Amino acid sequence: MTNHTQQLKQYDKTHVWHPFTQMKHYINEDPLVIERGEGSYLFDIEGNKYLDGYASLWVNVHGHNDSELNQAIHNQIETISHSTLLGSANVPSILLAKALADITPGDLSKVFYSDTGAAAVEIALKIAYQYWKNIDPVKYAEKNTFISLKEAYHGDTVGAVSVGGMALYHRIFHPLLFDRIETSAPYPYRMDGTPEEISARCLDNLESLLKQHHHKVAGLIIEPLVQGAAGIIVHPEGFLKGVARLCKKYNVLLICDEVAVGFGRTGSLFASEQEEAEPDLLCLGKGITGGYLPLAATLASEKVYSAFLGEASEDKTFYHGHTYTGNQLACSAALKNIELIRERQLIQDIQRKALVAARELEKLKGLAAVGDVRQKGLMIGIEIVKDQKTKALFPRDMQIEHQIILDARKRGVIVRPLGPVITIMPILAMPDEHLIEIIDTVHRAIKAVTEG
Ligand SMILES: *Cc1c(COP(=O)(O)O)cnc(C)c1O
């Protein structure tokens, strides 16, 4: 290790507070410091290369250092990097809004920009809440709460955590959070019955909640098709469609959080399309710029938007904004990302590769420690268990999943655990052989760690 490398690692341990990380343990480990990326690969400062099996936290679409995406950002830098959307407009944010309105499902036609998925969610929640107040503050005086799913994840700001359902992130902040109503989520591996029965049960639960509480509910927020952070929990077919139907029936706004599943991840450009769900509000983030720059967007339907129109004195204005809203560099990257997805026929390619992945994943089912293998498009979760029959987990202190991902890293593949689940989130444009290598490496790592 050179002095420079050593010094960087030391500064990292001394000064950088990493997200979701127990720093007491982190500073005793050898940090992975990424220096550059190329296609499917990440390179660290010591020159080691790794296949990026988590798409750099679920964001990367076309691979690292893509010359066309780079060029689009360069071109924009040479023009202007940032001006504000408060009181003025800018070219890339206009063109991107038009493109998003064209490609998103239903009649979503209004785009509110922000820079991180959690903010896109906060904005959707505030719009949904104010929508009812703008329409009729007396009639809808009580529509002040939200329904979300058990184990839901919608980001880490206080409002987004409020509609989250993961106890681990919730517990400590509980006094700061607003109330929500929790509805059950279909998790076939750990529930009794067929997926159809489980889905029907969950929808019954939702309907009885709505029957009782709809006058208090402004909106329902859901991660369509797959609950990502909960451990890649794939919902049975028809569940989203049922949820959308119930929202309509009980006059509750449907908010689809496609921050993780949007932009091709599940095999269609947007996950909501697969069940013809037409959200009133849609949250986008992560893959929107191809994973190059931070950007998020909240889309609203014509119906929602029009409730905010009125005379200045009526106070129907949406009082919300962020300093970097509509940033030109980020919007240019997003525009190019959308263009390249179309040009490179990426959606068809993802559908084909999902089948390649499914075939490879079959081999993992032979391992004693693999309880469940879940997949939707190029979103993969492998639930690790101590006992396949009882589905019991390994003791938490063993950190078995952490050992597995470290073993995979030694073999040149980066993947991440979510609780007891090893997740594989390949770069969407990754060639077949890299995808196969990642799955094969995870197979070896699980075997090495759990079978010795
Ligand atoms: C990642 C994620 C978010 C939060 O996005 P950030 O950019 O991390 O704020 C929100 N919702 C879902 C479903 C996510 O996966």
Side-chain angles (χ1 to χ4, degrees):
M1 226 189 288
T2 65
N3 281 342
H4 179 59
T5 302
Q6 207 124 34
Q7 189 164 66
L8 279 170
K9 288 185 173 182
Q10 196 50 51
Y11 286 169
D12 177 49
K13 291 179 180 186
T14 314
H15 298 296
V16 182
W17 191 344
H18 288 261
F20 281 99
T21 303
Q22 178 43 261
M23 296 305 292
K24 180 178 168 167
H25 296 156
Y26 182 86
I27 57 170
N28 291 321
E29 290 182 2
D30 186 27
L32 172 67
V33 185
I34 302 299
E35 186 172 61
R36 65 187 181 90
E38 189 64 54
S40 308
Y41 288 99
L42 293 166
F43 296 79
D44 69 17
I45 47 170
E46 286 148 279
N48 301 306
K49 72 171 186 177
Y50 309 90
L51 279 171
D52 184 351
Y54 70 140
S56 292
L57 214 58
W58 311 6
V59 299
N60 199 290
V61 176
H62 302 283
H64 296 283
N65 213 353
D66 182 276
S67 59
E68 290 191 68
L69 266 170
N70 287 357
Q71 193 58 50
I73 298 168
H74 273 291
N75 292 348
Q76 186 57 48
I77 285 183
E78 305 277 320
T79 316
I80 182 173
S81 293
H82 181 74
S83 64
T84 179
L85 289 197
L86 274 71
S88 57
N90 74 56
V91 179
S93 72
I94 295 171
L95 296 176
L96 178 60
K98 166 80 175 112
L100 290 173
D102 287 347
I103 62 175
T104 48
D107 78 334
L108 298 164
S109 54
K110 310 294 172 182
V111 180
F112 199 101
Y113 289 112
S114 56
D115 41 35
T116 181
V121 168
E122 297 272 355
I123 289 162
L125 298 175
K126 287 177 74 177
I127 291 176
Y129 167 85
Q130 192 179 336
Y131 169 78
W132 299 106
K133 304 297 173 259
N134 280 3
I135 293 183
D136 191 334
V138 178
K139 185 172 174 196
Y140 297 123
E142 284 185 73
K143 265 189 172 311
N144 299 334
T145 192
F146 292 90
I147 296 181
S148 64
L149 273 65
K150 189 173 185 320
E151 299 296 315
Y153 178 79
H154 298 290
D156 297 325
T157 54
V158 172
V161 174
S162 293
V163 290
M166 298 177 76
L168 187 63
Y169 308 154
H170 244 236
R171 213 176 297 122
I172 182 80
F173 296 111
H174 193 259
L176 302 183
L177 308 177
F178 57 75
D179 284 337
R180 71 171 182 126
I181 297 171
E182 179 175 284
T183 190
S184 56
Y187 185 178
Y189 177 60
R190 290 192 179 273
M191 287 175 152
D192 293 327
T194 65
E196 293 73 28
E197 289 162 356
I198 292 165
S199 179
R201 255 189 351 253
C202 291
L203 289 172
D204 282 347
N205 173 241
L206 175 59
E207 178 142 29
S208 62
L209 289 173
L210 282 167
K211 229 178 232 158
Q212 202 185 339
H213 299 296
H214 66 92
H215 62 286
K216 291 195 278 186
V217 180
L220 176 148
I221 182 164
I222 183 172
E223 298 163 76
L225 304 188
V226 186
Q227 287 181 259
I232 319 295
I233 298 172
V234 180
H235 293 158
E237 217 179 299
F239 179 69
L240 176 65
K241 191 175 252 176
V243 169
R245 185 179 58 78
L246 289 172
C247 284
K248 232 181 218 129
K249 180 170 171 189
Y250 289 95
N251 206 21
V252 158
L253 295 182
L254 174 63
I255 306 169
C256 285
D257 176 356
E258 294 223 19
V259 171
V261 294
F263 293 95
R265 183 54 68 184
T266 66
S268 54
L269 194 51
F270 298 101
S272 308
E273 289 168 28
Q274 291 187 34
E275 305 220 340
E276 291 140 36
E278 294 191 359
D280 300 289
L281 291 155
L282 176 74
C283 306
L284 301 174
K286 290 201 167 95
I288 190 172
T289 61
Y292 278 47
L293 286 165
L295 181 71
T298 307
L299 276 83
S301 67
E302 210 57 55
K303 172 184 100 173
V304 168
Y305 173 83
S306 58
F308 287 75
L309 304 178
E311 299 310 318
S313 58
E314 288 182 275
D315 272 339
K316 289 186 172 178
T317 308
F318 185 47
Y319 291 111
H320 187 105
H322 298 283
T323 307
Y324 279 99
T325 292
N327 172 266
Q328 283 98 322
L329 293 178
C331 289
S332 299
L335 267 171
K336 182 50 91 174
N337 175 41
I338 292 167
E339 190 185 314
L340 293 178
I341 288 175
R342 194 178 301 131
E343 243 175 60
R344 296 173 181 178
Q345 304 193 330
L346 191 62
I347 303 300
Q348 292 93 310
D349 187 47
I350 291 166
Q351 289 167 359
R352 189 189 54 75
K353 281 187 296 201
L355 300 176
V356 172
R359 200 185 60 217
E360 281 306 300
L361 286 165
E362 276 302 311
K363 299 175 191 161
L364 269 80
K365 294 178 182 166
L367 296 173
V370 171
D372 193 24
V373 178
R374 301 188 278 271
Q375 183 198 3
K376 189 83 193 172
L378 290 180
M379 230 175 163
I380 297 160
I382 300 151
E383 188 157 335
I384 304 296
V385 293
K386 192 160 150 275
D387 186 325
Q388 279 182 337
K389 267 208 191 69
T390 65
K391 304 182 180 177
L393 301 175
F394 285 92
R396 202 165 148 200
D397 281 339
M398 276 181 76
Q399 295 204 289
I400 201 94
E401 297 77 22
H402 189 62
Q403 291 181 51
I404 292 167
I405 68 135
L406 288 183
D407 188 275
R409 189 190 295 180
K410 282 196 207 105
R411 299 169 195 264
V413 166
I414 303 184
V415 287
R416 297 262 315 158
L418 277 170
V421 180
I422 305 294
T423 60
I424 303 178
M425 288 277 185
I427 289 172
L428 293 175
M430 189 175 261
D432 293 22
E433 63 267 28
H434 292 162
L435 180 60
I436 291 168
E437 188 180 334
I438 289 170
I439 296 170
D440 185 51
T441 303
V442 168
H443 184 174
R444 283 164 205 264
I446 295 171
K447 196 173 160 77
V449 170
T450 62
E451 295 177 14

